[in-house]
Amino acid sequence: MNHSELFAASPVDPVDAAPETRVFAHLIDGALETSTSTFDVINPSTGRAFARCPDASRAQFDAAVTAARRAFAGWSRTSFEERRERLNRFADAIEQRVEPLARVLTLEQGKPLAKARIEIRRAVGIIRHLVTIAIEPETLREDASGRVELRHKPLGVVGGIAPWNVPIVLAAPKITSALYTGNTMVLKPSPYTPLTTLMIGAIAREFFPAGVLNVLAGGNELGQWMTEHPGIDKITFTGSVATGKRVMASAATNMKRVTLELGGNDAAIVLGDVDVKAVARPLFDAAFANSGQICQAIKRLYVHTSIYDALVDELADIARRVPVGDGFDEQVELGPVQNRMQYERVLELIDDTVRQPGVRIVAGGRAIARDGYFIEPTIVADIAEGTRLVDEEPFGPVLPVLRFDDIEEVLGRANASPFGLGGSVWTRDVERGAELAARMETGVAWVNHHLGVPPEFPFGGVKESGIGRANGEMGLKRNMEPQLVVVPAR
Ligand code: NAD
């Protein structure tokens, strides 16, 4: 079914057509298509459905892979300059539609509208930055016998699978990294937040030849089809560790390359020399941004015993004051938990925490009595490892604050985790902080900061937090296969 006229008139309409009246569609082989089957998209601020999303059939998915394979032959031969120019025009077109995109993002994801606008603008910035990175052949040796070059060639069709927490900030680098390096793509957003990504697909239609970018919405089985399909050469996946393991196992069928950006349980270590009032707010923000639903948010806060009570009090004070509510209310700083399953999981973790002897809930600790999936920002004190809240990734507005005496001991505790995404050390002595931060078993380690890696730098995790890196030259090259070209002198 092709509804392109209807779709073109509404869903990416810069005049900001009401999302309830829009028809959302997949982008398959350059055309916008709906499906006979659809599913509800829920607004997490109300708990009620506000739109229907097309649910891609197996035939539509196969058609997208076929189109991407066909398009690869031509697209892979275009120059970096041409691809850069097209991606920059795509970024401009997204920038012209920040408002309608941000509104749909707030409706489906729940985040405050101001943050949704930032997310769309950040995605634009990521596209523009990544296409400035040059990938040149390297000469590894050149002498009288000849030369040895290292070239980089696109892989083929890249499958992108995204989660629901920052859908566009994660989709933008996946699209750009694949397309800029000469690959074609099939992209699947999370079934919880598919609509803004479908709008991005509709915008892309104008800038790329048919089949170069395909965007399909569907459930988890669509993700599974992607990981199994022999016509897909690489999976770039962002999501939970559990699903990441399934993706990796399934990708083995045709030796797909994988980049896995998975969960985290980031530790921040606060030494006794900090100014408690000055660090409290940045620590709070790095833990509660997006209502705690960020892979790299602080999820375990280790505080030196000499300042423990003072910092816990400051954090509790901020948590009690921060405005929580519907993302369309301009006063609101934190929105709901994104979906019912996650909401119930976070409440279950809080419930488990309350039952631990000696543990104190110093702020929050309950669901907010209103429609939607709202939980009070929660600070938990006098808690230690061995509890679910500390050992698992909560992915919600709840922060355990742990006490420590000795820096060697706390580094061991911070590193005793299967996760290894990010970590930070907070101290007035930044050089000592750098030495300590570098000892954290993580993909990124900060001093006096936590959260956010600009796109020029490689981003990713160690241990079960992932494989490979996104962004930067390193991330772009994950979408390419190195080839050694050996040339004699004559
Ligand atoms: P999830 O693993 O449940 O789902 C992620 C995506 O995988 C969705 O699109 C889903 O439909 C798809 N999927 C589900 N089952 C699949 C299967 N068997 N095969 C292929 N695809 C499948 O994750 P989520 O709950 O949407 O997201 C939250 C998680 O993502 C958290 O753990 C968070 O830390 C992590 N995350 C990591 C990063 C990072 O960069 N490291 C960034 C954001 C989120």
Side-chain angles (χ1 to χ4, degrees), residues 240-253:
S240 62
V241 172
T243 312
K245 288 180 180 177
R246 282 197 283 276
V247 167
M248 193 168 173
S250 171
T253 47

Side-chain angles (χ1 to χ4, degrees), residues 161 218 238 340 409:
I161 303 177
T238 305
R340 174 165 282 282
E409 176 231 299

Side-chain angles (χ1 to χ4, degrees), residues 161-166 170 188-192 218-227 237-244 246-247 260-264 293-296 299 339 341-342 393 395 419 421 459-461 465:
I161 303 177
W164 45 256
N165 59 340
V166 276
L170 292 169
K188 181 195 103 62
S190 165
Y192 291 115
N220 295 347
E221 71 291 346
L222 173 59
Q224 173 115 25
W225 296 341
M226 290 172 73
T227 61
F237 171 84
T238 305
S240 62
V241 172
T243 312
R246 282 197 283 276
V247 167
L260 303 175
E261 299 169 40
L262 308 178
Q293 303 165 114
I294 302 258
C295 53
Q296 262 189 349
K299 294 177 184 140
N339 59 73
M341 203 169 73
Q342 189 62 23
E393 179 190 36
F395 222 58
F419 296 99
L421 201 52
F459 168 80
S465 286

